[in-house]
Amino acid sequence: MAGGHTVFAETSSSQTTDNNTITRDQTTNTKLNIVGQPKDSTSTDQTSQTQTNNENQTQDAKVDQSVSATDTTSNDKVKSTTNATDTVTEKKTSTTDPKAIAPTNTGDKASTETNTPDSAKQITTSTTNSIVATNLAVATNLAVAPATLATTDSDLAVTDDNGITLSIDRNTVGNDGTDGAPININLSGTFQAGEVYGITVPVTTFGIDDSNFNNTIIVNRGVISKNDQTVDGQKYRNYKLTVSNDFTTTTGFKLVIPDGNNYAGKPAATSSNAIDPAGEVKREITWGYVDPDKGEVKNKSLYFTTIIKDSMHPTFKQAKPSPNKVTQLQTNTNYAFQLNINQPTGIQNDTSYCANKVNSAVNMGTTITIPVPGDFLIDPDASLRASGVPDGKTTITQEKAGADIVITVAAGAGSQNADTTPNATGYHLVGKFMQPVEPFENKIYTADGNIKIDQQVRTVDGISTISATIDQPWSVNLVGPKVTPKQGDLATQIVGNNGSNTLIQKQATNIVNYFGFTNDTSISFTNSLHIQVGFDENLAVTGIKTPDINATLRPGLTSYQYVIEVVDKATQKHRFITASVDAGQVIAAPTGTTIYKADILPNYVEVGATTKMGGALSDILKSNSGSTTQKEDPDVFEAYGYISDKLNNMATLPPDTTVSTKIAIRSADFNNNQIANSAVDQKVLGLDSLTAAMQAWGNQSSQLYDPTNPTKSAGSIDMHFDTDPKATTVKVFEPIFYYVLPKYFSFSGGWDAVEYKAKDANTGKVIEPKFETYMVDGRQVVKLDYTGTGFNYNTNASQMNDKLNITIDPDGVAGDYYYDAFVYTKSGMSHYTTKYSDTNLDDQTKAFTKNITNSDIPGSLYKLSYLYGNRFTIKSPVIAYVPNMAQGNEDPKAAAKGTSDTKGDGTMYYYVNVANYDVNVIKDGRLLINVPLASDNGTSFDFTVDGRYLRFFL
């Protein structure tokens, strides 16, 4: 065959074409081996293997391709077919016999029974026949050259007369009985410069991953382009391979049709980009080339089938109260029952990642008919709220008590497994049984029919209806009003101020406890449920905030009566106060008193009514760190208060000091007034026992003084976060930080120049400390003093706080110099520290801290700790330069930049040196000094010369 080849695929004027980037929704691992074809058949040029990993969507399948050998093919007119034994070894996660595909349901009354907890039965009334989607974008008048043709539509490979092979490793994808098995399309063989091949692949719900069919893979041996076109409503993607240099690919160019999954969120069934209709669709992959002599050549096509199936697996159960605790129900009491549809998208299989409601990606309109036992009467509004569907797209109706309940769901409505909130539950039926019962009756009532779901869905044959039923009718056990309710639980739970159940002496708090309750019994309570709480005498509780109104969690609960026992802080006398508050309001102790005990009666507590409990209650305080930063929550009780004055005023707390809060719940209407209890103990830490984990950190960015930029930062020192399980607090109360800079390093600019200013752990605001700087033994000390500000330094807030950028002094001498950092605070340090006492407090540390340990700062619990220290280095530049420095009345030492306050001492100092680190000696040097003058006659200078004799010319 002579000459090159040109792509044959063309788009007619009636077709739409757009260039798009392919969505990659399948993980593939592919090795590509390309061998260049030289003009001289005796030489070879082999490129290195390229491996591309692409993952844009989680899938269960991987395709591994490995190279066993590489052929070198001469540049002859006739190409030879690569032997499979020495080209590619393919490993697939699974293999499906194309002739053994699991059949879909066919016929008008085909049904499938599925084992579910409630033995749901599904009936499919649609016929799902296989159809073939053909790509009409390829010219139909092309001559087909004699080639190795596929003999049937199920063949997996075809080789054309040029020796190029197009293959697929399986011919079904989707809900075909094998999860996580994509279709790998492989184009391989020996290509010659000038050839152009085209492949057209149908675009379906499953997408196309072309991460291994792009210009990165082909490197410098050609160009790959792609575009999309739509023919008769079917979208296709055209790939064009234009070869510029001869090469052989033994592993081939890969296109992957991923196996779908039911988890990924899909558009609503009514949207323009909804998933493909259910059914089996045979699809055609067309390919070919254009030969200068033969014209456009269309090779034999390959075929694959996409399979999507519709299914439902409904279940029905009692939701409130818990069915495993309560089996006997009463009349005229609201209960909740739950219907879960358990419907997948059907893209991958029939059972995984089902939606609790009807699946919005499938639903084209659903009617659910629910026969009821006895005279059950639905509360539609409460049912919609409990179901989480007050959107108008779902209706729940019933003509009268005892009549069938009908739920209608509009097309495109429902939920999907990936929808966390909409899919949290199925459909709730909230209502009561209205039939009369005898006082001591104990009877089973059963509906006269089964629950049935009828749903319209899109199929390859158009809109069809699928149905599913629950094979057991709804039944309940009702008892008379004289039967004492004992089944189920009244429960309470109480937690502390923060996740560690720890309170800190002298640190104010807003909330000392959170607590809640739940009614998991068969009865509702009207002004008869007692929630009783008792507080430790060492907790000063000033109020109890009640839960807000919540029609879903606590329907009908709008107010609280209460009796509180309060203690007068001055006289310690007890008295009782009776009153009521609206839900969400605070039961407040009168000024000068604290609450010792409280008896709280909600006006109405329905079956299943609850505050946050369990993990939901504990999670509220996980991020609380004590003090006044506790989270407020509308669905719990909150006890406002703090540690008692008695504990706060102790210089040293007794070991293992704790405060306890106890709570109980009971009602004379339930289980003979049986009481359920809960309690929590919180440890109280004295200031003398606090330990925090933090350190100081130095970072050097330059070791050379730069004469051209004398104020250039050479590094920084900051107060640094740390963690330690032995630490008892993340707060350092009113610290004093001491930064002792290395010799020949300076910090200037005051508090304004401090970066990453620390924020208060309680308020999140920056509080300015008292700033001071001074010299000790030639080293600058920077002091940040937070005493008296109420500031709590947060050791977990960020990696660095209160950062000082420091510079190398112009007269710095080469060498290693150390920095040190100290903290003085009521909080002890748990590690990376030296704790100073009379036995180890050396004179130098006293000088650095100006004898802070002997100061008269109020409180005897302040401690001095060493945080950290390390080395900074100065290296000499190989140049000669004139270091000059200045020192004003605001500078602790001479530095590159001096500062003076006009209200202070008017004397300023200037220092000039000659530094020669060059290899050459300076002889007969002349130094010109330009000094600033306020006026011609208003400034005078005194000159002092140290070292060798210099001659001055003034």
Side-chain angles (χ1 to χ4, degrees):
M1 188 175 75
H5 306 296
T6 308
V7 68
F8 67 86
E10 296 180 353
T11 305
S12 66
S13 59
S14 62
Q15 300 165 350
T16 60
T17 303
D18 57 331
N19 293 318
N20 294 319
T21 301
I22 292 177
T23 301
R24 302 176 184 174
D25 48 7
Q26 172 68 34
T27 301
T28 60
N29 293 328
T30 305
K31 294 179 180 178
L32 179 65
N33 201 354
I34 298 175
V35 179
Q37 294 301 310
K39 296 301 179 181
D40 182 359
S41 61
T42 61
S43 61
T44 62
D45 177 21
Q46 178 173 324
T47 64
S48 61
Q49 292 183 348
T50 303
Q51 180 170 346
T52 302
N53 296 324
N54 174 62
E55 182 172 359
N56 275 13
Q57 177 177 349
T58 303
Q59 298 284 346
D60 297 326
K62 284 189 177 179
V63 180
D64 295 329
Q65 305 287 347
S66 60
V67 178
S68 60
T70 300
D71 288 346
T72 300
T73 305
S74 62
N75 188 19
D76 294 332
K77 297 294 183 181
V78 180
K79 300 179 182 177
S80 62
T81 302
T82 306
N83 191 310
T85 60
D86 60 3
T87 53
V88 179
T89 300
E90 295 187 352
K91 186 196 301 179
K92 300 183 289 294
T93 56
S94 61
T95 303
T96 301
D97 185 345
K99 297 180 181 179
I101 302 300
T104 56
N105 294 330
T106 59
D108 293 337
K109 296 295 183 181
S111 64
T112 301
E113 184 164 336
T114 305
N115 292 326
T116 67
D118 289 340
S119 299
K121 181 183 292 182
Q122 176 186 308
I123 302 173
T124 303
T125 60
S126 62
T127 301
T128 56
N129 297 321
S130 299
I131 67 172
V132 179
T134 305
N135 176 14
L136 302 180
V138 179
T140 58
N141 58 352
L142 299 180
V144 178
T148 306
L149 303 179
T151 57
T152 70
D153 287 349
S154 62
D155 282 355
L156 300 180
V158 60
T159 300
D160 69 6
D161 59 350
N162 298 319
I164 302 299
T165 298
L166 183 70
S167 65
I168 56 177
D169 60 348
R170 54 186 289 114
N171 55 17
T172 62
V173 69
N175 197 339
D176 58 1
T178 303
D179 290 354
I183 294 176
N184 292 286
I185 306 169
N186 186 346
L187 180 69
S188 61
T190 298
F191 295 87
Q192 291 183 352
E195 291 181 341
V196 177
Y197 267 80
I199 304 176
T200 298
V201 183
V203 179
T204 68
T205 290
F206 300 90
I208 302 173
D209 174 8
D210 60 359
S211 59
N212 285 297
F213 200 111
N214 56 41
N215 289 316
T216 301
I217 300 300
I218 199 171
V219 198
N220 296 319
R221 288 165 172 77
V223 175
I224 291 176
S225 61
K226 63 185 176 183
N227 65 76
D228 289 350
Q229 63 180 159
T230 300
V231 180
D232 293 339
Q234 172 63 53
K235 186 177 180 180
Y236 296 89
R237 186 155 295 152
N238 301 313
Y239 294 89
K240 175 182 175 182
L241 169 61
T242 303
V243 182
S244 58
N245 290 302
D246 298 355
F247 68 91
T248 294
T249 170
T250 57
T251 57
F253 296 102
K254 304 294 181 184
L255 291 171
V256 179
I257 300 174
D259 193 35
N261 69 65
N262 294 340
Y263 175 75
K266 299 296 182 182
T270 53
S271 65
S272 60
N273 59 338
I275 63 174
D276 294 340
E280 297 185 8
V281 181
K282 184 173 289 185
R283 304 182 186 274
E284 180 182 13
I285 303 172
T286 61
W287 69 300
Y289 60 93
V290 173
D291 182 90
D293 298 330
K294 300 176 183 178
E296 297 175 330
V297 178
K298 178 182 178 182
N299 291 325
K300 182 67 175 180
S301 299
L302 293 176
Y303 296 87
F304 68 96
T305 300
T306 57
I307 303 174
I308 298 176
K309 298 178 183 179
D310 291 319
S311 63
M312 294 182 285
H313 314 284
T315 60
F316 186 78
K317 67 178 182 178
Q318 178 180 301
K320 295 179 181 180
S322 300
N324 60 332
K325 295 180 180 179
V326 179
T327 59
Q328 296 178 339
L329 306 181
Q330 297 189 344
T331 58
N332 296 303
T333 301
N334 271 350
Y335 299 108
F337 301 85
Q338 182 174 331
L339 173 66
N340 281 2
I341 306 302
N342 299 316
Q343 183 173 23
T345 57
I347 293 174
Q348 185 176 41
N349 53 47
D350 295 336
T351 56
S352 66
Y353 299 110
C354 294
N356 288 323
K357 297 180 175 67
V358 297
N359 197 303
S360 61
V362 175
N363 169 42
M364 290 298 291
T366 302
T367 300
I368 304 171
T369 304
I370 306 171
V372 305
D375 288 336
F376 182 82
L377 179 64
I378 193 76
D379 182 337
D381 291 339
S383 299
L384 290 170
R385 282 196 304 270
S387 302
V389 288
D391 54 6
K393 297 180 181 179
T394 301
T395 63
I396 301 177
T397 59
Q398 185 185 33
E399 290 185 359
K400 61 179 181 179
D404 289 354
I405 297 169
V406 178
I407 302 175
T408 60
V409 186
S415 67
Q416 296 181 41
N417 187 274
D419 302 330
T420 304
T421 300
N423 196 53
T425 183
Y427 299 101
H428 281 243
L429 308 179
V430 179
K432 60 183 68 175
F433 297 94
M434 303 300 294
Q435 66 264 41
V437 294
E438 296 299 323
F440 292 95
E441 183 173 306
N442 186 341
K443 182 180 178 180
I444 302 294
Y445 289 81
T446 303
D448 59 5
N450 295 344
I451 298 173
K452 183 180 181 184
I453 301 101
D454 295 309
Q455 183 182 78
Q456 290 189 310
V457 297
R458 296 164 55 248
T459 73
V460 295
D461 297 319
I463 299 296
S464 300
T465 299
I466 62 172
S467 298
T469 60
I470 295 177
D471 60 3
Q472 294 294 329
W474 179 5
S475 65
V476 293
N477 181 190
L478 296 182
V479 298
K482 293 295 186 180
V483 177
T484 302
K486 294 183 178 181
Q487 294 181 336
D489 295 313
L490 288 172
T492 63
Q493 181 186 2
I494 187 166
V495 295
N497 164 277
N498 56 72
S500 62
N501 282 334
T502 301
L503 299 170
I504 299 175
Q505 186 185 33
K506 288 189 180 299
Q507 290 203 0
T509 56
N510 283 337
I511 300 171
V512 292
N513 291 111
Y514 301 85
F515 58 95
F517 73 93
T518 190
N519 174 20
D520 198 12
T521 73
S522 63
I523 63 175
S524 299
F525 301 90
T526 302
N527 295 320
S528 62
L529 182 65
H530 294 261
I531 302 168
Q532 298 171 317
V533 59
F535 299 102
D536 196 287
E537 63 179 359
N538 285 317
L539 282 178
V541 177
T542 58
I544 301 172
K545 187 197 76 66
T546 60
D548 290 0
I549 292 175
N550 187 316
T552 300
L553 293 180
R554 296 174 296 280
L557 202 169
T558 58
S559 64
Y560 299 85
Q561 297 181 39
Y562 66 85
V563 178
I564 56 174
E565 181 180 351
V566 299
V567 182
D568 189 289
K569 294 174 67 175
T571 65
Q572 294 300 301
K573 290 184 178 180
H574 291 233
R575 60 189 173 101
F576 294 89
I577 298 172
T578 301
S580 65
V581 294
D582 292 336
Q585 301 301 307
V586 177
I587 299 171
T591 302
T593 69
T594 59
I595 299 174
Y596 182 55
K597 293 180 180 178
D599 187 6
I600 304 170
L601 286 81
N603 69 305
Y604 177 70
V605 180
E606 190 168 276
V607 173
T610 185
T611 61
K612 285 186 176 177
M613 293 282 282
L617 178 58
S618 300
D619 285 347
I620 296 172
L621 50 86
K622 273 187 176 179
S623 61
N624 288 356
S625 58
S627 193
T628 58
T629 57
Q630 295 85 49
K631 290 182 179 177
E632 297 273 359
D633 193 282
D635 289 313
V636 294
F637 290 94
E638 297 169 351
Y640 294 151
Y642 47 88
I643 301 171
S644 68
D645 292 342
K646 175 183 175 182
L647 292 185
N648 271 332
N649 292 332
M650 286 185 179
T652 302
L653 291 181
D656 299 323
T657 299
T658 58
V659 290
S660 300
T661 307
K662 297 179 173 64
I663 188 171
I665 188 170
R666 64 175 181 82
S667 175
D669 296 340
F670 176 72
N671 203 10
N672 301 317
N673 212 23
Q674 183 176 348
I675 298 174
N677 298 301
S678 180
V680 64
D681 294 333
Q682 298 184 81
K683 187 174 182 179
V684 183
L685 296 177
L687 291 179
D688 60 330
S689 65
L690 294 181
T691 56
M694 67 171 294
Q695 60 176 305
W697 189 260
N699 175 58
Q700 187 167 8
S701 57
S702 175
Q703 296 180 342
L704 294 172
Y705 171 73
D706 184 358
T708 65
N709 187 10
T711 59
K712 173 185 175 181
S713 173
S716 63
I717 304 173
D718 63 77
M719 294 298 148
H720 217 66
F721 91 112
D722 211 340
T723 57
D724 185 357
K726 295 180 292 184
T728 58
T729 180
V730 298
K731 301 175 182 179
V732 179
F733 183 65
E734 292 190 349
I736 304 175
F737 295 129
Y738 297 91
Y739 303 74
V740 184
L741 275 54
K743 190 176 182 180
Y744 299 122
F745 285 80
S746 301
F747 172 78
S748 59
W751 171 246
D752 289 342
V754 176
E755 294 184 353
Y756 299 103
K757 293 178 173 62
K759 296 179 180 179
D760 184 83
N762 298 330
T763 66
K765 296 180 179 179
V766 172
I767 296 179
E768 183 175 349
K770 296 182 283 292
F771 179 91
E772 185 181 358
T773 182
Y774 48 88
M775 298 297 296
V776 174
D777 295 335
R779 298 173 65 184
Q780 183 182 357
V781 179
V782 176
K783 175 182 176 183
L784 303 182
D785 184 356
Y786 287 98
T787 57
T789 64
F791 180 75
N792 278 277
Y793 177 87
N794 191 339
T795 62
N796 268 347
S798 61
Q799 284 195 339
M800 63 178 69
N801 285 303
D802 291 346
K803 174 183 173 183
L804 309 184
N805 288 312
I806 60 177
T807 60
I808 298 175
D809 292 341
D811 62 346
V813 178
D816 293 332
Y817 305 96
Y818 286 79
Y819 72 88
D820 299 284
F822 303 82
V823 61
Y824 184 59
T825 180
K826 293 179 180 178
S827 303
M829 294 295 111
S830 60
H831 67 167
Y832 283 116
T833 61
T834 297
K835 298 176 177 65
Y836 288 101
S837 64
D838 292 339
T839 59
N840 66 348
L841 189 61
D842 58 276
D843 291 339
Q844 187 180 54
T845 300
K846 289 181 181 180
F848 288 152
T849 62
K850 289 189 174 180
N851 293 313
I852 187 66
T853 54
N854 297 327
S855 71
D856 58 356
I857 292 178
S860 60
L861 300 177
Y862 277 88
K863 308 175 183 72
L864 178 65
S865 296
Y866 179 76
L867 290 177
Y868 198 63
N870 211 330
R871 176 180 75 240
F872 273 47
T873 299
I874 298 176
K875 292 183 178 180
S876 299
V878 188
I879 58 174
Y881 65 99
V882 180
N884 59 88
M885 299 180 293
Q887 182 177 7
N889 58 30
E890 290 192 345
D891 301 316
K893 60 181 287 190
K897 181 180 179 181
T899 305
S900 280
D901 188 333
T902 56
K903 298 180 178 62
D905 185 353
T907 304
M908 298 187 71
Y909 299 88
Y910 296 87
Y911 301 87
V912 179
N913 297 314
V914 176
N916 182 19
Y917 298 105
D918 203 329
V919 294
N920 299 311
V921 176
I922 299 176
K923 296 181 178 179
D924 298 326
R926 178 172 294 185
L927 182 63
L928 301 179
I929 304 173
N930 185 16
V931 294
L933 296 175
S935 64
D936 290 340
N937 301 314
T939 303
S940 60
F941 284 89
D942 293 328
F943 286 89
T944 302
V945 179
D946 295 325
R948 295 184 60 186
Y949 167 78
L950 295 175
R951 184 169 55 181
F952 283 87
F953 300 90
L954 298 178

